[in-house]
Amino acid sequence: MNKIDEKEILIKSLGLLYGLKNKVITINESEQYLFCPRIIKELQEKKCDKNILNLIEYCCEIEDIESIIPEQYNNKLDEFIEENLRQLRVYNYELGKNITKNDSR
């Protein structure tokens, strides 16, 4: 799997996490799009980066977190968002893109 495809997965993941955080999508919807074991298996078969696989695996536990420890739900979403952003920064660097707040592209 190439870096651009992996970056697209991170962007999709970030959008889903923000959607969950802002209550504009459901956990079930996030599972249909990305956060499910079937997708992890497909990504493994395509030799996706293990850091991305780990992030998606953790995100598959969102429903469990919400039902078992709901008081930690928002904090966990924030942690997943931060990890997602950290990984996107790595991909920007590896792809030779120096994206800053002032970049208008």
Side-chain angles (χ1 to χ4, degrees), residues 22-38:
N22 291 288
K23 298 177 173 62
V24 295
I25 65 168
T26 65
I27 291 173
N28 190 39
E29 288 173 312
S30 73
E31 291 171 341
Q32 291 173 359
Y33 286 108
L34 186 62
F35 302 147
C36 70
R38 176 184 55 80

Side-chain angles (χ1 to χ4, degrees), residues 7-8 28 38 41 51 55 65 67:
K7 185 175 179 181
E8 287 177 16
N28 190 39
R38 176 184 55 80
K41 184 176 181 184
N51 292 319
L55 177 65
I65 293 167
S67 63

Side-chain angles (χ1 to χ4, degrees), residues 81-103:
I81 288 169
E82 283 305 311
E83 177 58 21
N84 208 118
L85 289 170
R86 186 191 71 72
Q87 289 191 35
L88 272 170
R89 286 182 195 104
V90 169
Y91 276 82
N92 286 337
Y93 178 78
E94 289 177 357
L95 292 170
K97 296 179 181 174
N98 185 12
I99 298 173
T100 64
K101 290 181 183 177
N102 297 327
D103 193 348

Side-chain angles (χ1 to χ4, degrees), residues 13 25-26 33 41 44-45 60 73-74 78 84 96 99:
S13 171
I25 65 168
T26 65
Y33 286 108
K41 184 176 181 184
Q44 286 171 331
E45 290 170 358
C60 288
Y73 178 73
N74 283 326
D78 289 338
N84 208 118
I99 298 173

Side-chain angles (χ1 to χ4, degrees), residues 41-56:
K41 184 176 181 184
E42 289 175 14
L43 294 174
Q44 286 171 331
E45 290 170 358
K46 293 179 180 179
K47 307 289 188 228
C48 185
D49 182 89
K50 89 173 176 178
N51 292 319
I52 294 175
L53 290 171
N54 289 339
L55 177 65
I56 303 302

